[in-house]
Amino acid sequence: MTSILPKKIASEKESANYVANFFKEHKIGQTLKQSNFFKQKGFPCKDLLQFLVTLIFMGKNLWRYLNTDANNAPFQKDAVYRFLNNCYYNWRKFLLLLSSQIIQNHIVPLTDEKRVNVFIIDDSLFSRSRSKAVELLARVYDHVEHKYVRGFRMLTLGWSDGNTFLPLAFSLLSSEKESNRLQGMNAMDKRTNGYKRRKEAIHKSTEVLLELLKQAKAYMVPASYLLFDSWFSFPVVIRKVLEQQLHTICMLKSMPTVKYEYQGQNLTLNKLYAAVKKKRGRAKVLASIIVEIGQMSSGEPVQAKIVFVRDRRAKKKWLALLTTDTELPDEEVIRIYGKRWNIEVFFKMSKSYLGLSKEFQGRSYDSMVAHVTIVFIRYIMLALESRNGEDPRTIGNLFYICCDELQDISLVEALQRIFFLMEQFLQEQLQLAEAEIRKLIDFLISNLPSFFKERLAVSFCES
């Protein structure tokens, strides 16, 4: 792979070597084979994927690279486009396999068992505002600009332990309404992975959310809660998530059609807040209550806790968080939900620095799915590198040795300080002879564990 890159630029060599090491360490070639990737002709899929992942770190896109160094490029752009447009490759399985292996083998061993791991799901705009002939292109609402634009909704499921966020799966959603779809679906074999992704793209986002979650749980990714914003906080969705044996923590918004059962009454969120007794003063948690949000498919009623929190942006406004784990303390509900912000950072990073929706302008749905997966691989690499650089536990046994040594030294210094203060007090206040003081200190030291006894004995001898 390194031979594909120009030999003149040292930084490009370093980028290529870094990506190559990542691919080798995590056995990307084997993961590609498990995900139905096969070579059509020419170059292996692993080499093409490795090159495309490296492009952003070289500061070039595919067109610029092939045009500025066409003589050194061992392949033409057709080889890349065949790779990106292949409808048989299972990009979702590849991403799930890669992320789940990294989580289980690299992140979880660095995480305390008491730490809460979570799934996070949210959507973001995948803009194709200047496109006309893109497959399944639709008019989607941009919540930032508050207008309809051309593109897709990129529904993304991620995992976080509070420090590291890794994307697990995604779906580029078109529109379930045919009137909002500007382009239709290309004719293709209905047995292919590409056809399944296209059919999924025209389903409701809440249905796709549950399917993504089901697939992620099948890969044994450890998580205790699913976090999402108010766009998905409908009781029917929360109940279906609970049926997958996963608790929910989500933000609520007041909707006239969504009601919660409290003390025998069905109330909207605003009326519910007016009915509960609030805490006095400037408490951050204003109130918390237990409500019912319907029944499971088995007929069992579902209880949930709603926590009302003071909105820091406005004095008289409030926010509401819901969790199906009714035993969870109010402060823990707020703390765990704060991890949802990691996915917003992920979206910002992917769009601003990793070329999401800008690098490739393919017209087929398969090429867009491939492009998004490539961007997610880049983010996984950076997230893992950040964790390895910041977490001292990645050093291995040396970390624990150093930590134990630091704890021992600090305790020895504390004991030494206590003995010095005691010696000073006995001399100045009680006027004891030096021999008596030494005898008393020796008696105390002799009754300590041997490790501290040796350290303290050396310290007093030196003093």
Side-chain angles (χ1 to χ4, degrees), residues 56-96:
I56 196 71
F57 302 113
M58 293 162 34
K60 296 180 180 179
N61 56 30
L62 179 64
W63 179 87
R64 181 176 298 176
Y65 173 77
L66 293 177
N67 280 272
T68 55
D69 226 333
N71 295 330
N72 294 330
F75 54 83
Q76 299 297 320
K77 63 180 180 181
D78 292 345
V80 177
Y81 289 134
R82 277 197 304 269
F83 175 73
L84 295 174
N85 292 326
N86 193 301
C87 62
Y88 295 94
Y89 299 160
N90 195 339
W91 288 100
R92 177 170 299 172
K93 183 178 181 181
F94 170 77
L95 186 61
L96 276 168

Side-chain angles (χ1 to χ4, degrees), residues 315-333:
K315 292 183 179 179
K316 296 185 179 181
K317 290 187 177 182
W318 48 269
L319 303 172
L321 299 175
L322 180 144
T323 178
T324 51
D325 186 358
T326 56
E327 301 297 324
L328 197 64
D330 298 346
E331 291 76 11
E332 276 293 286
V333 174

Side-chain angles (χ1 to χ4, degrees), residues 264-281:
Q265 295 180 309
N266 290 324
L267 303 175
T268 63
L269 189 63
N270 283 335
K271 291 183 179 179
L272 196 62
Y273 178 74
V276 300
K277 183 178 179 180
K278 271 77 70 176
K279 295 180 180 178
R280 294 182 177 180

